[in-house]
Amino acid sequence: MPPHPTAAASVPGGEPVAAAEEESPAARRLRRLSLHLLQPSAPSAAHASSPSSSLVPAACAGRRVVEGGGDVAAALTAYLRGRHRAAQMRLYDFFCARPDLQTPLEMTTAAHRELCFRQLRALVRDAGVRPLTLMANDPAEYFAVMEAAGGADISLGVKLGVQYSLWGGSVINLGTKKHRDKYFDGIDNLDYPGCFAMTELHHGSNVQALQTTATFDPVTDEFIINTPNDGAIKWWIGNAAVHGKFATVFARLILPLQGKGGEPADMGIHAFIVPIRDLETHAVLPGIEINDCGHKIGLNGVDNGALRFRSVSIPRDNLLNRFGDVSRDGKYTSSLPTINKRFAATLGELVGGRVGIAFCSVGVLKVAVTIAVRYALLRHQFGPPKQPEISVLDYQSHQHKLMPMLASSYAFHFATVQLVDKYSEMKKTNDEDLIADVHVLSSGLKAYITSYTAKSISICREACGGHGYAAVNRFGALRNDHDIFQTFEGDNTVLLQQVAGDLLKQYQEKFKGGTLSVTWNYLRDSMGTYLSQPNPVTARWEGEDHLRDPNFQLDAFRVNKLSPQYRTSRLLHSVAARLQKHSKTLGGFGAWNRCLNHLLTLAESHIESVILAQFIESVKSCPDEKTREVLKLVCDLYALDRIWKDIGTYRNVDYVAPNKAKAIHKLTDYLSYQVRLVAKELVDAFDLPDLIIRAPIGMQSEAYAQYTQYVGF
């Protein structure tokens, strides 16, 4: 079979391989290139003074790291390892010692659901984990446990999230002491499996338009829960189809005779605890109809169901009344003056779900990248004439696929660790600025990271060729189970609009003389310069020191695609002007829709800047010099690859001159090669046990042997 044209066209350093009739020159070129990259000579004084001198490789950071080998991997692991890594390892060991709890490759939906519930019950009752207690007392450890559970089976991680983040979280965050006293222990020890019944058949993202009603009956001192039409059937409710005994139902609170002219008063969306099955017999309770949403693309260990309520009576005390209450005589009271403020406060308390999804999505990305990188190092195909075949990862095209993705997994790791820390601090302090910051940051990171991970899993599958298509090598299950991360806990497009909306609010406050909240501090510095033109001198700078300068990278991330100013601040200024213009003829809603793609670009721009800023800060904070060098290399690749992917827009506004664009391209390829030299150490530093990887081609050793054994040899 002839060599694949792409494989034959590139070698480790990215230079073309000569045609077959030029075999000797090709071999010489390969050897020279290897010497050039692995043992570069110091540039001459004359060469060093040239504008592009710093693109001539100096002592290669990647080369220095490789010499560290396992020591570097260990140092990286130590820096990445969170303070709750021990709790994760205990769970990994627990599941490893329990083959009966390990998810097989093939099983029916019904069997997967029962296994998933047994896994959760064993985690709580046998392993002694108390997730709701952790969520209340130490959210960072709770998210670490969720990540570990999701590593064993993503369905388990999601089912744990439904039980504790959603059902349990709604009770402790939206209820008051009487609810915590009554339900906390039962939720924590799994005596009270529950659901989070928000989404309806006709409404998901637009929660304020939900149609389920909860009408107060002053005679019986009860709320009557009702599904007024088929569109109001609660849909996709996790735990509902099989295991749930309670549901937090989001419904419109209706007070009879208290509206204008004696009409019913709609007090907006509130949350109610509704028993749905008998605690002893598990029979569905009267007035409640439950149906199964059926087999899904993924996450079939989670039993999603649909709920209809026909005049179901619940005690008045079952209203989760932190932000609004109804007295015995039917009077409504709230510390918040409007429906919108109560609604915002209610949803704001549920932000932990988005934090968990962003955090766990990074875990899925790490698994996919680890499998793909290890296989690329293992797999050897083609090579110079009469010489051994080379690793697939030595091809520039493969480095281009996987090394920026590996860099992104590190960038996202540090960004989500910071998010979890902010969330934990928010729960301790209830600081209003921090609450607003976490709300928007979690929305943006959840949207950006889950979208990136979903695309990356497919790229990893393709990078592993035919073996990546085998179910045992995980990519199909990872893709299918993770795909919904882009939708639940907030559709990604909707969440990015929340980020854009908050930026516009901050922009307005800036020009009213208000202060900016904590994450948006850089806007304060850059808004004053959004009308400045790019410096024609710096637009041509192409030295490596300049291109790898964090200040240049951050500034470049903030350059607008449509104008020559700082990206986020100029996007913000221009979209505000467009909204003002179009609102005069289209109204507020029409103007927003007209500018929607602009707004989404604004949100993504901001989140990219936040991710890079945190990565740079994490590099600076690393105490070990060698580890810091490796992380700086990875961070530079992450930043420059993102710039190169958008290089046309930088060129269009003359922020980058042609020679500088070329230098960025060359340096990005060179950094990809350097990261390739430490790719094994970088994925090993994730410290993922075989139980989590599971794919034979992703094992650290004897991958082919495990693969052949799996198929029966």
Side-chain angles (χ1 to χ4, degrees):
M1 184 180 71
H4 189 285
T6 302
S10 301
V11 293
E15 296 294 334
V17 175
E21 60 269 21
E22 298 176 353
E23 291 178 355
S24 295
R28 286 198 299 272
R29 175 62 177 159
L30 182 64
R31 285 193 295 272
R32 288 171 183 171
L33 183 62
S34 299
L35 289 171
H36 172 68
L37 289 171
L38 297 178
Q39 295 178 329
S41 57
S44 65
H47 195 170
S49 64
S50 70
S52 60
S53 63
S54 55
L55 282 183
V56 176
C60 174
R63 178 62 176 173
R64 291 195 298 271
V65 173
V66 169
E67 291 171 354
D71 292 340
V72 170
L76 279 166
T77 299
Y79 188 58
L80 293 179
R81 183 179 288 146
R83 65 182 185 276
H84 299 301
R85 182 61 177 178
Q88 290 185 315
M89 293 307 299
R90 283 195 297 272
L91 280 184
Y92 294 150
D93 291 342
F94 173 76
F95 281 109
C96 189
R98 292 284 301 272
D100 61 305
L101 297 177
Q102 295 171 17
T103 305
L105 190 61
E106 299 179 55
M107 62 191 317
T108 65
T109 296
H112 196 178
R113 289 172 171 180
E114 287 309 307
L115 174 61
C116 194
F117 189 68
R118 285 196 294 110
Q119 290 171 332
L120 182 58
R121 188 169 54 204
L123 181 149
V124 171
R125 297 180 180 176
D126 298 343
V129 178
R130 286 293 180 265
L132 195 62
T133 298
L134 293 178
M135 190 174 71
N137 298 334
D138 190 349
E141 184 170 358
Y142 170 75
F143 291 125
V145 167
M146 178 185 285
E147 182 187 28
D153 186 334
I154 298 179
S155 285
L156 173 60
V158 171
K159 195 170 184 74
L160 183 149
V162 170
Q163 173 69 13
Y164 297 106
S165 295
L166 299 181
W167 157 232
S170 64
V171 171
I172 66 175
N173 292 319
L174 302 181
T176 50
K177 184 177 184 298
K178 62 183 178 183
H179 301 110
R180 290 189 287 272
D181 290 346
K182 183 174 181 179
Y183 294 101
F184 190 100
D185 288 342
I187 295 172
D188 209 11
N189 64 24
L190 211 55
D191 284 343
Y192 295 167
C195 316
F196 185 83
M198 177 180 282
T199 297
E200 296 177 355
L201 179 61
H202 283 185
H203 289 93
S205 297
N206 188 6
V207 177
Q208 281 188 293
L210 296 178
Q211 299 177 71
T212 301
T213 58
T215 304
F216 181 65
D217 183 348
V219 176
T220 61
D221 195 27
E222 294 174 326
F223 285 102
I224 311 301
I225 310 297
N226 197 52
T227 302
N229 54 63
D230 285 354
I233 295 173
K234 295 296 182 181
W235 210 272
W236 290 125
I237 309 306
N239 273 356
V242 179
H243 299 124
K245 296 179 184 293
F246 295 88
T248 294
V249 177
F250 288 80
R252 316 193 74 80
L253 195 162
I254 307 298
L255 296 177
L257 306 176
Q258 295 196 24
K260 291 183 179 179
E263 293 292 317
D266 184 344
M267 308 309 295
I269 302 300
H270 289 65
F272 303 82
I273 296 176
V274 181
I276 60 173
R277 288 186 175 92
D278 187 275
L279 283 174
E280 300 298 327
T281 68
H282 203 61
V284 176
L285 295 175
I288 297 172
E289 181 182 353
I290 303 177
N291 285 294
D292 197 322
C293 288
H295 187 79
K296 306 183 293 293
I297 290 175
L299 294 181
N300 282 299
V302 182
D303 52 311
N304 294 89
L307 301 170
R308 184 200 295 271
F309 304 97
R310 291 187 172 92
S311 301
V312 176
S313 299
I314 60 171
R316 178 169 55 89
D317 278 351
N318 283 28
L319 166 65
L320 294 172
N321 61 338
R322 178 178 173 188
F323 298 116
D325 202 1
V326 175
S327 64
R328 177 65 185 87
D329 59 358
K331 300 298 182 184
Y332 184 85
T333 57
S334 175
S335 59
L336 301 171
T338 67
I339 287 178
N340 285 342
K341 286 187 179 295
R342 291 194 293 271
F343 177 74
T346 297
L347 293 193
E349 284 299 321
L350 304 175
V351 71
R354 288 198 294 272
V355 175
I357 289 172
F359 191 73
C360 291
S361 182
V362 179
V364 174
L365 179 62
K366 289 176 182 177
V367 172
V369 170
T370 297
I371 296 170
V373 167
R374 284 181 178 167
Y375 177 71
L377 290 166
L378 169 75
R379 185 75 164 180
H380 287 69
Q381 296 290 292
F382 308 113
K386 299 180 181 179
Q387 292 189 34
E389 293 182 303
I390 65 170
S391 164
V392 170
L393 198 54
D394 284 331
Y395 289 104
Q396 187 188 56
S397 56
H398 223 70
Q399 295 167 13
H400 180 71
K401 286 179 183 178
L402 297 182
M403 295 303 95
M405 192 187 302
L406 178 54
S408 294
S409 65
Y410 271 77
F412 298 164
H413 168 88
F414 292 118
T416 52
V417 167
Q418 182 205 33
L419 174 62
V420 168
D421 288 343
K422 281 178 174 285
Y423 177 80
S424 300
E425 185 65 21
M426 179 198 80
K427 298 300 289 183
K428 290 178 183 177
T429 64
N430 289 313
D431 179 85
E432 290 187 3
D433 286 341
L434 199 52
I435 290 171
D437 189 36
V438 169
H439 172 72
V440 180
L441 189 59
S442 64
S443 297
L445 287 175
K446 184 268 186 188
Y448 191 90
I449 291 171
T450 58
S451 292
Y452 184 94
T453 297
K455 296 180 181 72
S456 297
I457 294 170
S458 290
I459 294 171
C460 287
R461 204 293 304 159
E462 294 166 12
C464 292
H467 293 317
Y469 198 63
V472 71
N473 287 322
R474 302 284 317 281
F475 292 117
L478 290 173
R479 179 189 59 210
N480 292 346
D481 286 346
H482 176 275
D483 194 64
I484 195 62
F485 281 37
Q486 300 173 92
T487 302
F488 62 18
E489 290 295 312
D491 174 85
N492 284 356
T493 301
V494 174
L495 293 181
L496 288 174
Q497 290 179 70
Q498 292 183 13
V499 175
D502 194 81
L503 285 167
L504 285 165
K505 178 183 174 183
Q506 299 291 336
Y507 179 84
Q508 185 180 34
E509 290 180 359
K510 169 69 177 178
F511 285 95
K512 286 182 177 179
T515 59
L516 295 176
S517 64
V518 285
T519 296
W520 325 131
N521 284 338
Y522 75 82
L523 290 177
R524 177 187 58 204
D525 301 324
S526 63
M527 275 186 192
T529 61
Y530 64 71
L531 292 178
S532 64
Q533 295 296 316
N535 186 318
V537 176
T538 58
R540 299 187 61 82
W541 284 355
E542 59 182 77
E544 182 175 346
D545 287 345
H546 168 65
L547 297 180
R548 297 184 69 172
D549 184 340
N551 292 322
F552 159 72
Q553 294 166 2
L554 281 171
D555 286 345
F557 264 50
R558 296 167 187 168
V559 173
N560 185 7
K561 296 180 178 181
L562 302 175
S563 66
Q565 285 75 42
Y566 288 120
R567 181 167 64 172
T568 301
S569 57
R570 188 60 181 90
L571 276 167
L572 191 50
H573 174 75
S574 58
V575 80
R578 289 187 66 206
L579 286 169
Q580 184 178 33
K581 171 188 173 183
H582 291 304
S583 64
K584 295 175 182 177
T585 55
L586 301 176
F589 181 84
W592 187 271
N593 194 33
R594 175 67 66 85
C595 300
L596 187 51
N597 289 335
H598 194 162
L599 290 160
L600 297 176
T601 302
L602 165 65
E604 290 177 343
S605 167
H606 171 67
I607 294 303
E608 287 177 350
S609 297
V610 169
I611 292 171
L612 178 60
Q614 183 56 39
F615 200 171
I616 289 170
E617 184 59 35
S618 298
V619 172
K620 291 179 180 177
S621 301
C622 181
D624 179 73
E625 183 179 355
K626 277 192 174 181
T627 307
R628 191 164 57 249
E629 283 185 4
V630 178
L631 290 175
K632 179 65 167 67
L633 170 68
V634 176
C635 184
D636 289 341
L637 175 59
Y638 172 76
L640 292 174
D641 177 74
R642 290 296 307 121
I643 294 169
W644 174 247
K645 280 182 167 60
D646 208 17
I647 199 65
T649 61
Y650 293 106
R651 285 287 302 114
N652 287 343
V653 299
D654 293 328
Y655 185 81
V656 170
N659 67 305
K660 187 169 187 173
K662 185 177 180 180
I664 290 171
H665 187 198
K666 287 184 176 180
L667 184 55
T668 301
D669 283 346
Y670 180 59
L671 293 177
S672 289
Y673 177 76
Q674 290 195 41
V675 172
R676 175 264 175 271
L677 293 176
V678 288
K680 180 183 184 301
E681 287 79 8
L682 287 168
V683 296
D684 287 352
F686 293 147
D687 199 21
L688 299 173
D690 290 349
L691 172 73
I692 305 304
I693 298 299
R694 294 202 289 284
I697 63 171
M699 294 294 110
Q700 293 195 56
S701 61
E702 299 183 353
Y704 278 138
Q706 294 192 43
Y707 197 15
T708 53
Q709 182 180 5
Y710 168 77
V711 300
F713 288 100

